[in-house]
Amino acid sequence: QVQLVESGGGSVQAGGSLTLSCTASTNTYTSYSMAWFRQAPGKEREGVAVISNGGARTSYVDSVKGRFTISRDNAKNTLYLQMNSLKPEDTAMYYCAARWGSYYARFTDFAYWGQGTQVTVSS
């Protein structure tokens, strides 16, 4: 069992940057791979980035490769998403999620979710 709380969302102009954070309440943070998802109005939720338990391996959806960086600080039980060169199509509610067990790159089987933080990118 793990509780997740996101922060860092806001409104920026196209081309700007934001960093999202997610703090996990658990005694076994390194037992989880972590991910960021997003959901825009009228669209289904999609996986954005996933990171391995120790932070060495990552995977990204094609639309954010080269612009977003997922990372984690296991000493602080915190997950990050650094977003650069933001585009209006990045506008969405962003959620962090946790998956217990060994890492794999697919955006599946995430059982624990935060409440979300809104990111709005204006043109």
Side-chain angles (χ1 to χ4, degrees):
Q1 189 71 262
V2 57
Q3 293 179 311
L4 306 171
V5 180
E6 303 97 331
S7 62
S11 298
V12 297
Q13 291 185 296
S17 298
L18 279 176
T19 300
L20 307 182
S21 299
C22 173
T23 300
S25 179
T26 176
N27 292 325
T28 55
Y29 185 55
T30 57
S31 294
Y32 298 90
S33 59
M34 301 292 295
W36 289 98
F37 289 75
R38 66 186 181 186
Q39 187 168 25
K43 297 183 178 180
E44 295 189 359
R45 184 173 294 183
E46 68 169 346
V48 176
V50 60
I51 189 167
S52 62
N53 307 50
R57 291 183 288 171
T58 59
S59 185
Y60 300 87
V61 67
D62 287 345
S63 61
V64 309
K65 288 180 179 177
R67 300 189 297 120
F68 290 12
T69 302
I70 188 171
S71 62
R72 63 192 292 167
D73 185 340
N74 288 343
K76 297 181 178 180
N77 276 24
T78 302
L79 176 74
Y80 302 97
L81 184 67
Q82 175 66 50
M83 303 183 293
N84 298 322
S85 302
L86 283 161
K87 304 175 180 180
E89 51 262 46
D90 295 318
T91 295
M93 185 72 73
Y94 283 72
Y95 301 87
C96 66
R99 178 177 63 202
W100 188 92
S102 299
Y103 169 84
Y104 50 97
R106 298 189 307 277
F107 294 103
T108 57
D109 302 315
F110 285 89
Y112 307 99
W113 298 84
Q115 84 288 349
T117 186
Q118 179 68 40
V119 172
T120 302
V121 184
S122 60
S123 60

